[in-house]
Amino acid sequence: MTKSMLADASQRLEQALKYAAISEDAIESLKFPQTSLSVSIPVRMDDGSLKVFQGYRVRYDDTRGPGKGGVRYHPNVTMDEVQSLAFWMTFKCAALGLPFGGAKGGITVNPKALSRMELERLSRGYIDAIADFIGPDVDILAPDVYTNSMIMGWMMDQYSIITRHICPAVVTGKPISMGGSVGREAATATGAYYVIQSMLPRFDMTPQTTTVAIQGFGNAGGILAELMFAAGYKVVAVSDSQGGVYAKNGLDIPAVREMKASTRGIRVPYCDRSVCEIDDQDVLTNEDLLKLDVDILIPAALENQITEDNAHDIQAKLIFEVANGPITSAADQILNQKGIYVFPDILVNAGGVTVSYFEWVQNRSGLYWTLDEVNQKLQSRIVEEGDRIWAIARDHDISLRTAAYVHAISRLGEAISAKGTRDYYTNGHGRKG
Ligand code: GLU
């Protein structure tokens, strides 16, 4: 049987433990998700029938603050996946120094097959099922794969109905009109862009001479492609779930975005056009895109895309993980041996949760910031934490991923020890006999 995703994710922790000063208490506590909730959500479908969907919410660790993490709608969502994603959120929040623990949610569903009203009933039903488990000081939701601000708005509204008071801080990534933050929609891409820009000079590279391939053309990959295109990078390949396009001299990214956004018949809030439909370009598969000879490869779709099966074929010099967990731990080792620099998800895609934190702060203070304020705060935090991770990697001669975990673990370990009772026992008080 193949290893569970959580077991694979935990392997990163094992490697980092060698370099981090952390107590045995902390190691033991971080091995297991704190709470895992599984719910069945009955939904009245448009044809009058009743369908029951499976939903999950996992709080991995809340020592550093309330749980924080998105909700994913995807046919492949399982408890194992949600636990791994909650694990990553725990380390992401710690690596960025955000006052949150890690959590994640998901529903096993193909949202593109639902009507807009069915999607709304499902989203509200999910909140009905998990309401006792979440809250602005307990566990805060956000968008993830195939969820968006409209869905976050429904979720916040449903929670407010249940608790009988307006509670914007229970969900981030909301529409601006319901207390969302400016800059949140683009934050994952913007954060990744700041990380890439800050790291490039370390490799004596400039945007104009750098070729890029991006797997995934949604909220993260699509917006990042546009930012990089505007900065002068040569984005030679992009793909979505249907496949990808390649152009040796670079794609006209705004044109690809426009084409993809123009939907025929807006039955559901998902566009039904693929980047593959763009004219006059070579079409390639998602698999082939990963193997292109480019300077920068950006997996921005789903997890487990680079595995031990295809890691040997990767030719990029630098990989920036915008998706969560796109590279397995076995593939990580192969890429390391090949001398490829992998900038890990818990840094590169942390712009989303960082601006979620800003949204939560704004909701609680009632004072709203400008886009410049949001982006400046995001840039200084993500670049600063990236510099720290770079320095740890250099000092210990370890991979950037291990360094990111070392950085996160020291913050987590400190909090776990501060809360624990080990001192009492190590001072002899707790000894029997
Ligand atoms: N789903 C995003 C992530 O994986 C954002 C989470 C959040 O904003 O809480 O980081």
Side-chain angles (χ1 to χ4, degrees):
M1 207 189 93
T2 51
K3 189 163 55 160
S4 80
M5 264 183 75
L6 182 60
D8 195 66
S10 311
Q11 212 151 323
R12 272 68 187 266
L13 187 60
E14 299 283 324
Q15 279 153 15
L17 288 175
K18 291 182 227 148
Y19 304 96
I22 175 170
S23 70
E24 281 166 34
D25 283 14
I27 298 174
E28 184 65 9
S29 342
L30 288 172
K31 276 186 200 158
F32 308 96
Q34 199 176 80
T35 328
S36 305
L37 181 70
S38 167
V39 295
S40 302
I41 312 157
V43 176
R44 180 69 58 200
M45 306 303 280
D46 289 348
D47 67 1
S49 65
L50 190 82
K51 212 166 164 182
V52 177
F53 294 88
Q54 292 309 304
Y56 308 94
R57 186 74 190 170
V58 172
R59 205 173 317 137
Y60 198 91
D61 183 89
D62 63 3
T63 320
R64 299 187 66 262
K68 184 81 192 85
V71 183
R72 168 173 301 202
Y73 288 1
H74 196 273
N76 298 341
V77 164
T78 60
M79 177 58 100
D80 178 38
E81 183 192 42
V82 176
Q83 285 179 336
S84 318
L85 290 161
F87 170 92
W88 284 317
M89 285 308 300
T90 307
F91 291 90
K92 196 186 297 185
C93 291
L96 268 284
L98 311 177
F100 292 133
K104 201 80 172 200
I107 301 178
T108 314
V109 59
N110 173 11
K112 294 180 186 177
L114 298 190
S115 73
R116 192 174 157 137
M117 289 304 292
E118 289 168 342
L119 198 63
E120 177 170 351
R121 289 194 285 269
L122 176 68
S123 305
R124 290 183 185 274
Y126 177 66
I127 297 301
D128 289 343
I130 67 164
D132 291 332
F133 197 67
I134 58 173
D137 292 307
V138 183
D139 184 358
I140 304 133
L141 316 185
D144 196 75
V145 172
Y146 291 146
T147 51
N148 55 20
S149 60
M150 180 177 70
I151 294 173
M152 295 307 112
W154 293 331
M155 290 185 172
M156 181 293 235
D157 184 53
Q158 192 64 19
Y159 186 78
S160 298
I161 291 170
I162 294 168
T163 58
R164 303 189 78 75
H165 68 284
I166 303 298
C167 189
V170 67
V171 177
T172 57
K174 300 177 293 292
I176 311 275
S177 57
M178 291 178 80
S181 174
V182 289
R184 175 62 187 85
E185 190 101 22
T188 307
T190 312
Y193 175 72
Y194 290 145
V195 173
I196 296 169
Q197 286 288 85
S198 74
M199 293 297 170
L200 216 60
R202 293 185 165 122
F203 296 91
D204 288 328
M205 288 160 74
T206 59
Q208 283 69 25
T209 55
T210 300
T211 53
V212 184
I214 304 179
Q215 186 200 42
F217 208 65
N219 180 46
I223 299 177
L224 180 57
E226 196 145 309
L227 290 172
M228 295 186 81
F229 175 85
Y233 290 83
K234 207 196 276 183
V235 184
V236 295
V238 297
S239 68
D240 57 24
S241 58
Q242 312 296 308
V245 282
Y246 172 79
K248 199 167 116 251
N249 296 322
L251 293 157
D252 178 356
I253 297 299
V256 183
R257 291 251 302 156
E258 212 171 286
M259 185 283 305
K260 191 168 158 74
S262 60
T263 55
R264 293 159 295 191
I266 312 168
R267 197 172 67 87
V268 288
Y270 302 99
C271 58
D272 53 4
R273 297 199 71 178
S274 165
V275 293
C276 306
E277 293 175 43
I278 196 148
D279 297 333
D280 302 331
Q281 318 286 349
D282 292 339
V283 172
L284 81 177
T285 64
N286 266 297
E287 256 296 286
D288 292 339
L289 180 138
L290 298 173
K291 298 176 190 164
L292 287 175
D293 185 6
V294 286
D295 299 308
I296 295 182
L297 174 63
I298 301 179
L302 289 168
E303 54 268 3
N304 295 340
Q305 297 301 299
I306 304 179
T307 66
E308 54 198 318
D309 296 333
N310 61 359
H312 289 287
D313 302 326
I314 306 295
Q315 303 188 63
K317 294 186 187 68
L318 315 179
I319 300 179
F320 290 87
E321 290 184 321
V322 170
N324 287 308
I327 302 177
T328 63
S329 56
D332 242 355
Q333 284 173 19
I334 300 168
L335 298 174
N336 257 336
Q337 281 157 10
K338 285 171 67 102
I340 298 172
Y341 283 80
V342 176
F343 291 84
D345 47 4
I346 62 169
L347 169 68
V348 179
N349 73 23
V353 69
T354 301
V355 178
S356 275
Y357 164 51
F358 298 160
E359 183 172 327
W360 180 77
V361 169
Q362 292 171 77
N363 290 155
R364 292 164 71 96
S365 70
L367 190 67
Y368 286 82
W369 308 346
T370 64
L371 183 60
D372 271 356
E373 280 175 289
V374 168
N375 281 343
Q376 270 166 25
K377 285 181 176 43
L378 168 62
Q379 183 172 21
S380 63
R381 186 177 284 257
I382 206 162
V383 170
E384 199 174 295
E385 299 298 350
D387 286 347
R388 290 197 174 126
I389 291 168
W390 179 268
I392 295 170
R394 198 195 43 208
D395 292 351
H396 294 287
D397 194 19
I398 51 179
S399 72
L400 288 153
R401 186 185 317 279
T402 306
Y405 276 86
V406 170
H407 185 45
I409 287 169
S410 10
R411 283 188 176 141
L412 272 159
E414 221 174 288
I416 293 169
S417 300
K419 199 170 115 175
T421 52
R422 179 159 286 271
D423 280 357
Y424 175 81
Y425 285 91
T426 47
N427 287 339
H429 302 292
R431 220 174 277 138
K432 288 198 189 116

